[in-house]
Tab-separated table of all heavy atoms in Angstrom:
chain	number	residue	atom	x	y	z
A	1287	ASN	N	103.668	108.591	125.204
A	1287	ASN	CA	104.904	108.223	125.926
A	1287	ASN	C	105.243	106.779	125.749
A	1287	ASN	O	106.460	106.351	125.688
A	1287	ASN	CB	104.726	108.595	127.418
A	1287	ASN	CG	104.628	110.098	127.611
A	1287	ASN	OD1	105.177	110.811	126.847
A	1287	ASN	ND2	103.978	110.479	128.722
A	1288	ASP	N	104.230	105.885	125.606
A	1288	ASP	CA	104.434	104.486	125.423
A	1288	ASP	C	104.748	104.093	123.961
A	1288	ASP	O	105.305	103.026	123.613
A	1288	ASP	CB	103.256	103.644	125.925
A	1288	ASP	CG	103.100	103.817	127.367
A	1288	ASP	OD1	104.063	103.916	128.129
A	1288	ASP	OD2	101.827	103.655	127.794
A	1289	LYS	N	104.265	104.971	123.074
A	1289	LYS	CA	104.569	104.738	121.635
A	1289	LYS	C	105.146	106.120	121.041
A	1289	LYS	O	104.372	106.881	120.426
A	1289	LYS	CB	103.229	104.378	120.917
A	1289	LYS	CG	103.367	104.100	119.417
A	1289	LYS	CD	101.950	103.944	118.762
A	1289	LYS	CE	102.142	103.927	117.342
A	1289	LYS	NZ	101.053	104.562	116.585
A	1290	PRO	N	106.467	106.272	121.302
A	1290	PRO	CA	107.041	107.662	121.019
A	1290	PRO	C	107.344	107.907	119.593
A	1290	PRO	O	107.716	109.096	119.262
A	1290	PRO	CB	108.237	107.631	121.829
A	1290	PRO	CG	108.631	106.152	121.967
A	1290	PRO	CD	107.361	105.495	121.927
A	1291	SER	N	106.975	107.043	118.631
A	1291	SER	CA	107.193	107.341	117.181
A	1291	SER	C	106.223	106.503	116.406
A	1291	SER	O	105.668	105.496	116.756
A	1291	SER	CB	108.601	107.014	116.842
A	1291	SER	OG	108.859	105.623	116.864
A	1292	ALA	N	105.966	107.001	115.157
A	1292	ALA	CA	105.158	106.419	114.219
A	1292	ALA	C	105.497	106.793	112.806
A	1292	ALA	O	105.915	107.894	112.573
A	1292	ALA	CB	103.707	106.734	114.512
A	1293	ILE	N	105.299	105.815	111.944
A	1293	ILE	CA	105.607	106.066	110.444
A	1293	ILE	C	104.197	106.115	109.755
A	1293	ILE	O	103.289	105.290	109.991
A	1293	ILE	CB	106.398	104.921	109.820
A	1293	ILE	CG1	107.752	104.799	110.575
A	1293	ILE	CG2	106.581	105.141	108.344
A	1293	ILE	CD1	108.533	103.510	110.166
A	1294	PHE	N	103.986	107.089	108.942
A	1294	PHE	CA	102.685	107.297	108.221
A	1294	PHE	C	102.844	107.406	106.763
A	1294	PHE	O	103.836	108.059	106.308
A	1294	PHE	CB	102.026	108.461	108.735
A	1294	PHE	CG	101.724	108.560	110.205
A	1294	PHE	CD1	102.460	109.386	110.993
A	1294	PHE	CD2	100.760	107.823	110.832
A	1294	PHE	CE1	102.295	109.482	112.405
A	1294	PHE	CE2	100.588	107.764	112.092
A	1294	PHE	CZ	101.315	108.592	112.929
A	1295	LYS	N	102.079	106.579	106.035
A	1295	LYS	CA	102.160	106.593	104.537
A	1295	LYS	C	101.260	107.785	104.075
A	1295	LYS	O	100.027	107.738	104.270
A	1295	LYS	CB	101.755	105.276	104.031
A	1295	LYS	CG	101.785	105.270	102.449
A	1295	LYS	CD	101.381	103.904	101.913
A	1295	LYS	CE	101.305	103.872	100.470
A	1295	LYS	NZ	100.828	102.577	99.957
A	1296	ILE	N	101.873	108.762	103.411
A	1296	ILE	CA	100.982	109.860	102.897
A	1296	ILE	C	100.845	109.842	101.429
A	1296	ILE	O	100.039	110.654	100.850
A	1296	ILE	CB	101.540	111.256	103.440
A	1296	ILE	CG1	102.967	111.457	102.865
A	1296	ILE	CG2	101.510	111.333	104.930
A	1296	ILE	CD1	103.459	112.876	103.092
A	1297	SER	N	101.543	108.996	100.728
A	1297	SER	CA	101.476	108.976	99.249
A	1297	SER	C	100.119	108.684	98.684
A	1297	SER	O	99.810	109.081	97.576
A	1297	SER	CB	102.537	108.120	98.647
A	1297	SER	OG	102.395	106.828	99.138
A	1298	GLY	N	99.335	107.842	99.510
A	1298	GLY	CA	97.985	107.402	98.891
A	1298	GLY	C	96.904	108.280	99.299
A	1298	GLY	O	95.649	108.086	99.077
A	1299	LEU	N	97.154	109.378	100.141
A	1299	LEU	CA	96.063	110.267	100.715
A	1299	LEU	C	95.544	111.175	99.563
A	1299	LEU	O	96.357	111.568	98.611
A	1299	LEU	CB	96.610	111.032	101.855
A	1299	LEU	CG	97.172	110.260	103.051
A	1299	LEU	CD1	97.572	111.122	104.150
A	1299	LEU	CD2	96.142	109.288	103.536
A	1300	LYS	N	94.304	111.547	99.695
A	1300	LYS	CA	93.724	112.472	98.702
A	1300	LYS	C	93.503	113.800	99.273
A	1300	LYS	O	93.072	114.011	100.416
A	1300	LYS	CB	92.454	111.854	98.312
A	1300	LYS	CG	92.506	110.563	97.590
A	1300	LYS	CD	91.083	110.053	97.074
A	1300	LYS	CE	91.152	108.775	96.289
A	1300	LYS	NZ	91.918	107.742	96.737
A	1301	ALA	N	93.903	114.752	98.409
A	1301	ALA	CA	93.719	116.170	98.882
A	1301	ALA	C	92.252	116.539	98.899
A	1301	ALA	O	91.485	115.885	98.222
A	1301	ALA	CB	94.354	117.151	97.823
A	1302	GLY	N	91.886	117.339	99.792
A	1302	GLY	CA	90.514	117.823	99.998
A	1302	GLY	C	89.568	116.877	100.795
A	1302	GLY	O	88.460	117.166	100.959
A	1303	VAL	N	90.090	115.721	101.233
A	1303	VAL	CA	89.373	114.794	102.074
A	1303	VAL	C	89.818	114.789	103.408
A	1303	VAL	O	90.994	114.747	103.676
A	1303	VAL	CB	89.613	113.387	101.379
A	1303	VAL	CG1	88.885	112.289	102.290
A	1303	VAL	CG2	89.150	113.223	99.958
A	1304	GLY	N	88.963	115.004	104.356
A	1304	GLY	CA	89.316	115.088	105.736
A	1304	GLY	C	88.135	115.046	106.671
A	1304	GLY	O	86.935	114.938	106.209
A	1305	GLY	N	88.306	115.124	107.969
A	1305	GLY	CA	87.273	115.120	108.856
A	1305	GLY	C	87.481	116.098	109.960
A	1305	GLY	O	88.109	117.151	109.744
A	1306	GLU	N	86.858	115.868	111.124
A	1306	GLU	CA	86.991	116.768	112.277
A	1306	GLU	C	88.514	116.898	112.676
A	1306	GLU	O	89.179	115.815	112.582
A	1306	GLU	CB	86.250	116.317	113.484
A	1306	GLU	CG	84.718	116.585	113.261
A	1306	GLU	CD	83.936	116.286	114.551
A	1306	GLU	OE1	84.503	116.594	115.696
A	1306	GLU	OE2	82.898	115.741	114.397
A	1307	HIS	N	88.906	118.089	112.981
A	1307	HIS	CA	90.299	118.216	113.401
A	1307	HIS	C	90.362	119.392	114.307
A	1307	HIS	O	89.507	120.287	114.310
A	1307	HIS	CB	91.215	118.441	112.285
A	1307	HIS	CG	90.865	119.578	111.318
A	1307	HIS	ND1	91.228	120.855	111.598
A	1307	HIS	CD2	90.016	119.699	110.276
A	1307	HIS	CE1	90.766	121.694	110.758
A	1307	HIS	NE2	90.006	121.068	109.927
A	1308	PRO	N	91.417	119.477	115.065
A	1308	PRO	CA	91.577	120.640	116.085
A	1308	PRO	C	92.286	121.847	115.554
A	1308	PRO	O	92.527	122.766	116.236
A	1308	PRO	CB	92.402	119.996	117.177
A	1308	PRO	CG	93.245	119.002	116.445
A	1308	PRO	CD	92.374	118.535	115.371
A	1309	PHE	N	92.591	121.834	114.174
A	1309	PHE	CA	93.344	122.910	113.653
A	1309	PHE	C	92.518	123.971	112.944
A	1309	PHE	O	92.984	124.904	112.310
A	1309	PHE	CB	94.460	122.400	112.710
A	1309	PHE	CG	95.531	121.690	113.442
A	1309	PHE	CD1	95.439	120.245	113.496
A	1309	PHE	CD2	96.627	122.245	113.992
A	1309	PHE	CE1	96.361	119.534	114.240
A	1309	PHE	CE2	97.630	121.516	114.673
A	1309	PHE	CZ	97.510	120.159	114.782
A	1310	GLY	N	91.179	123.754	112.944
A	1310	GLY	CA	90.278	124.720	112.203
A	1310	GLY	C	90.421	126.079	112.500
A	1310	GLY	O	90.412	127.011	111.545
A	1311	MET	N	90.434	126.544	113.668
A	1311	MET	CA	90.548	127.960	114.078
A	1311	MET	C	91.975	128.430	114.376
A	1311	MET	O	92.124	129.548	114.802
A	1311	MET	CB	89.617	128.195	115.210
A	1311	MET	CG	88.141	127.876	114.969
A	1311	MET	SD	87.583	128.919	113.564
A	1311	MET	CE	86.225	127.988	113.074
A	1312	MET	N	92.899	127.543	114.191
A	1312	MET	CA	94.278	128.014	114.504
A	1312	MET	C	94.793	128.859	113.367
A	1312	MET	O	94.513	128.805	112.254
A	1312	MET	CB	95.267	126.770	114.663
A	1312	MET	CG	94.819	125.779	115.740
A	1312	MET	SD	95.066	126.489	117.349
A	1312	MET	CE	93.306	126.676	117.803
A	1313	SER	N	95.786	129.747	113.836
A	1313	SER	CA	96.402	130.547	112.871
A	1313	SER	C	97.656	129.923	112.361
A	1313	SER	O	98.709	130.576	112.271
A	1313	SER	CB	96.661	131.924	113.547
A	1313	SER	OG	97.525	131.718	114.671
A	1314	ALA	N	97.571	128.679	111.895
A	1314	ALA	CA	98.751	127.968	111.330
A	1314	ALA	C	99.039	128.633	110.009
A	1314	ALA	O	98.128	128.911	109.274
A	1314	ALA	CB	98.430	126.542	111.228
A	1315	PRO	N	100.292	128.942	109.721
A	1315	PRO	CA	100.669	129.632	108.464
A	1315	PRO	C	100.222	128.625	107.303
A	1315	PRO	O	100.601	127.395	107.388
A	1315	PRO	CB	102.127	129.795	108.612
A	1315	PRO	CG	102.545	128.733	109.526
A	1315	PRO	CD	101.482	128.526	110.506
A	1316	HIS	N	99.508	129.117	106.361
A	1316	HIS	CA	99.101	128.345	105.220
A	1316	HIS	C	99.869	128.806	103.951
A	1316	HIS	O	99.585	129.963	103.573
A	1316	HIS	CB	97.603	128.382	105.024
A	1316	HIS	CG	97.086	127.668	103.895
A	1316	HIS	ND1	97.309	126.351	103.727
A	1316	HIS	CD2	96.440	128.137	102.750
A	1316	HIS	CE1	96.715	125.974	102.517
A	1316	HIS	NE2	96.223	127.008	101.968
A	1317	MET	N	100.582	127.990	103.386
A	1317	MET	CA	101.335	128.334	102.145
A	1317	MET	C	100.847	127.370	101.096
A	1317	MET	O	100.862	126.080	101.367
A	1317	MET	CB	102.868	128.260	102.364
A	1317	MET	CG	103.305	129.327	103.394
A	1317	MET	SD	105.140	128.997	103.783
A	1317	MET	CE	104.963	127.894	105.178
A	1318	PRO	N	100.381	127.811	99.948
A	1318	PRO	CA	99.753	126.857	98.974
A	1318	PRO	C	100.678	125.711	98.467
A	1318	PRO	O	100.149	124.830	97.899
A	1318	PRO	CB	99.288	127.843	97.855
A	1318	PRO	CG	99.888	129.192	98.176
A	1318	PRO	CD	100.458	129.226	99.546
A	1319	SER	N	101.923	125.825	98.552
A	1319	SER	CA	102.833	124.853	97.949
A	1319	SER	C	103.476	123.978	99.055
A	1319	SER	O	104.333	123.172	98.690
A	1319	SER	CB	103.916	125.496	97.065
A	1319	SER	OG	104.717	126.340	97.800
A	1320	VAL	N	103.062	124.130	100.229
A	1320	VAL	CA	103.722	123.446	101.347
A	1320	VAL	C	102.698	122.624	102.231
A	1320	VAL	O	101.630	123.271	102.614
A	1320	VAL	CB	104.449	124.385	102.293
A	1320	VAL	CG1	105.035	123.663	103.467
A	1320	VAL	CG2	105.542	125.194	101.516
A	1321	ALA	N	102.899	121.297	102.303
A	1321	ALA	CA	102.000	120.519	103.069
A	1321	ALA	C	102.416	120.599	104.587
A	1321	ALA	O	103.421	121.299	104.860
A	1321	ALA	CB	102.137	119.006	102.708
A	1322	GLN	N	101.545	120.241	105.401
A	1322	GLN	CA	101.790	120.455	106.860
A	1322	GLN	C	101.386	119.171	107.679
A	1322	GLN	O	100.534	118.384	107.267
A	1322	GLN	CB	100.907	121.484	107.506
A	1322	GLN	CG	101.345	122.888	106.833
A	1322	GLN	CD	100.313	124.070	107.305
A	1322	GLN	OE1	99.142	123.855	107.321
A	1322	GLN	NE2	100.904	125.113	107.614
A	1323	VAL	N	102.234	118.881	108.640
A	1323	VAL	CA	101.951	117.858	109.619
A	1323	VAL	C	101.668	118.503	110.934
A	1323	VAL	O	102.480	119.360	111.424
A	1323	VAL	CB	103.096	116.824	109.808
A	1323	VAL	CG1	102.850	115.873	111.030
A	1323	VAL	CG2	103.298	116.075	108.625
A	1324	GLY	N	100.524	118.247	111.571
A	1324	GLY	CA	100.122	118.832	112.783
A	1324	GLY	C	100.065	117.860	113.951
A	1324	GLY	O	99.674	116.707	113.676
A	1325	VAL	N	100.550	118.248	115.033
A	1325	VAL	CA	100.391	117.409	116.324
A	1325	VAL	C	99.569	118.062	117.279
A	1325	VAL	O	99.921	119.238	117.693
A	1325	VAL	CB	101.820	116.983	116.854
A	1325	VAL	CG1	101.715	116.213	118.192
A	1325	VAL	CG2	102.733	116.407	115.890
A	1326	SER	N	98.493	117.475	117.763
A	1326	SER	CA	97.601	118.110	118.639
A	1326	SER	C	97.668	117.336	120.019
A	1326	SER	O	97.304	116.085	120.023
A	1326	SER	CB	96.177	118.034	118.176
A	1326	SER	OG	95.276	118.546	119.154
A	1327	ILE	N	98.040	117.901	121.127
A	1327	ILE	CA	98.056	117.170	122.402
A	1327	ILE	C	96.605	116.940	122.867
A	1327	ILE	O	95.931	117.967	123.031
A	1327	ILE	CB	98.931	118.011	123.400
A	1327	ILE	CG1	100.356	118.025	122.998
A	1327	ILE	CG2	98.897	117.195	124.731
A	1327	ILE	CD1	101.256	118.839	123.771
A	1328	GLU	N	96.294	115.727	123.077
A	1328	GLU	CA	94.892	115.379	123.545
A	1328	GLU	C	94.888	114.226	124.581
A	1328	GLU	O	95.860	113.615	124.718
A	1328	GLU	CB	94.037	114.972	122.280
A	1328	GLU	CG	94.011	115.966	121.261
A	1328	GLU	CD	93.397	115.529	119.915
A	1328	GLU	OE1	92.853	114.403	119.877
A	1328	GLU	OE2	93.415	116.247	118.962
A	1329	SER	N	93.787	114.083	125.229
A	1329	SER	CA	93.773	113.155	126.240
A	1329	SER	C	93.814	111.700	125.575
A	1329	SER	O	93.369	111.505	124.452
A	1329	SER	CB	92.420	113.186	127.095
A	1329	SER	OG	91.329	112.774	126.280
A	1330	LEU	N	94.352	110.657	126.300
A	1330	LEU	CA	94.423	109.354	125.787
A	1330	LEU	C	93.052	108.773	125.526
A	1330	LEU	O	92.840	108.089	124.471
A	1330	LEU	CB	95.129	108.481	126.781
A	1330	LEU	CG	96.674	108.776	126.957
A	1330	LEU	CD1	97.267	107.839	127.973
A	1330	LEU	CD2	97.373	108.626	125.677
A	1331	GLU	N	92.064	109.197	126.298
A	1331	GLU	CA	90.701	108.686	126.083
A	1331	GLU	C	90.176	109.288	124.734
A	1331	GLU	O	89.536	108.515	123.925
A	1331	GLU	CB	89.695	109.235	127.144
A	1331	GLU	CG	89.881	108.526	128.481
A	1331	GLU	CD	91.154	109.244	129.265
A	1331	GLU	OE1	91.350	110.454	129.098
A	1331	GLU	OE2	91.738	108.449	130.061
A	1332	GLN	N	90.464	110.480	124.401
A	1332	GLN	CA	90.106	111.148	123.109
A	1332	GLN	C	90.818	110.436	121.981
A	1332	GLN	O	90.156	110.030	120.904
A	1332	GLN	CB	90.483	112.617	123.057
A	1332	GLN	CG	89.367	113.611	123.191
A	1332	GLN	CD	89.880	114.938	123.047
A	1332	GLN	OE1	90.769	115.375	123.753
A	1332	GLN	NE2	89.235	115.772	122.169
A	1333	LEU	N	92.023	110.113	122.109
A	1333	LEU	CA	92.816	109.468	121.088
A	1333	LEU	C	92.277	108.122	120.753
A	1333	LEU	O	92.222	107.631	119.625
A	1333	LEU	CB	94.372	109.361	121.478
A	1333	LEU	CG	95.115	110.670	121.591
A	1333	LEU	CD1	96.560	110.337	122.085
A	1333	LEU	CD2	95.177	111.349	120.253
A	1334	ALA	N	91.888	107.360	121.848
A	1334	ALA	CA	91.381	106.031	121.758
A	1334	ALA	C	90.079	106.010	120.903
A	1334	ALA	O	89.715	105.022	120.187
A	1334	ALA	CB	91.134	105.365	123.010
């Protein structure tokens, strides 16, 4: 709510590299030619 927007550079990211995330067991539609941006609502303590 205090920082309602953010710009992220994705051109330098590497496919196949990642860490823990909350989308592992979700039934998010996966299409092989489409990237995805996910937003997970979490506590501010977790975000910090």
Side-chain angles (χ1 to χ4, degrees):
N1287 291 333
D1288 293 331
K1289 182 186 169 215
S1291 66
I1293 302 172
F1294 303 106
K1295 180 178 177 185
I1296 61 171
S1297 59
L1299 302 181
K1300 294 180 174 49
V1303 177
E1306 284 189 37
H1307 60 82
F1309 293 94
M1311 298 301 161
M1312 297 295 112
S1313 59
H1316 176 61
M1317 294 171 274
S1319 63
V1320 177
Q1322 296 174 317
V1323 171
V1325 179
S1326 173
I1327 299 176
E1328 300 172 8
S1329 72
L1330 294 176
E1331 292 80 28
Q1332 255 183 308
L1333 292 176

